[in-house]
Amino acid sequence: TASLLSKAGLPIPLHRLITESAQANDAANQIGWHVVVKPVDGDRGEGVDTRSDDAEKLEKAGELAFMESKRQRVIIEQQVEGTAHRLFIVNGQLLYAFKRLPITVTGNGSDTIAVLAENAYKAEQLKPVWARIKRPPLDELALEYIAQIGLKPETVPRRGESVALRAIESTASGGVDEDVT
């Protein structure tokens, strides 16, 4: 994908392909830290980690990515801020496009983030299996991310205020796609 995007004149993040975990630190040093770690043959965001900003986190992320990779190949990629979009093109024609948004809760002005997350989780479990999005309760990744953005589980968001529970959207950890075709 990166090669095709580059040939089309679009910017791409710096990245390195590694075949063993011992290569991860060198790759991150070449690219520059903060990096994303992901299996080369992954799907739905499984095995992807965006929190690798030091050697210890990189080692853990690499282990996960290698476990998820059938081909035992992992990409170490420059972290790029922004919103992910997916474009579906067939025979040179755009079929549709969507923006990928991280899993969120929406404030009602009285409940805490923890209560909103638990209620959203329970509501999702009441849907038929085929209609559910994967929505974990307030888990370790969510707690880490809300702390990073200066919030706590006890924070009460204003009515209508969206609070992301992940830094990025991935099908593996919940989130939604917004049609922007």
Side-chain angles (χ1 to χ4, degrees), residues 7 10 12 23 26 30 34 38 75 100-101 108 162:
K7 286 178 184 174
L10 297 169
I12 60 167
Q23 300 168 324
D26 286 343
Q30 290 172 9
H34 189 142
K38 55 188 173 183
I75 296 172
R100 303 184 90 180
L101 303 169
N108 59 15
S162 289

Side-chain angles (χ1 to χ4, degrees), residues 4-173:
L4 289 172
L5 292 172
S6 181
K7 286 178 184 174
L10 297 169
I12 60 167
L14 298 174
H15 60 278
R16 299 288 183 272
L17 178 67
I18 63 171
T19 55
E20 55 186 62
S21 58
Q23 300 168 324
N25 206 45
D26 286 343
N29 284 328
Q30 290 172 9
I31 293 167
W33 295 84
H34 189 142
V35 296
V36 176
V37 181
K38 55 188 173 183
V40 72
D41 52 353
D43 192 18
R44 303 171 0 118
E46 293 170 352
V48 175
D49 190 291
T50 63
R51 301 167 296 154
S52 295
D53 58 4
D54 64 39
E56 184 179 333
K57 290 178 187 172
L58 179 61
E59 182 178 346
K60 289 178 184 175
E63 289 172 7
L64 175 63
F66 273 108
M67 283 186 351
E68 291 290 336
S69 177
K70 294 173 188 77
R71 294 168 54 197
Q72 292 298 292
R73 298 170 75 193
V74 168
I75 296 172
I76 307 296
E77 185 174 76
Q78 174 186 32
Q79 173 74 46
V80 177
E81 296 300 319
T83 303
H85 288 77
R86 299 284 187 207
L87 307 175
F88 292 87
I89 300 169
V90 176
N91 295 327
Q93 183 173 356
L94 176 67
L95 296 182
Y96 58 94
F98 59 86
K99 177 169 46 172
R100 303 184 90 180
L101 303 169
I103 192 168
T104 63
V105 293
T106 303
N108 59 15
S110 59
D111 288 330
T112 65
I113 291 173
V115 169
L116 293 167
E118 183 64 26
N119 290 345
Y121 173 76
K122 287 177 180 176
E124 205 60 40
Q125 299 310 302
L126 295 175
K127 295 179 182 177
V129 173
W130 64 87
R132 291 180 195 165
I133 61 164
K134 182 172 182 177
R135 175 180 275 281
L138 199 62
D139 61 2
E140 181 183 330
L141 288 174
L143 292 170
E144 183 180 307
Y145 182 68
I146 64 171
Q148 183 182 336
I149 60 174
L151 302 175
K152 297 179 181 178
E154 306 80 37
T155 301
V156 176
R158 294 181 311 275
R159 178 175 298 283
E161 177 184 3
S162 289
V163 177
L165 301 180
R166 296 285 194 272
I168 63 166
E169 187 281 340
S170 80
T171 308
S173 63

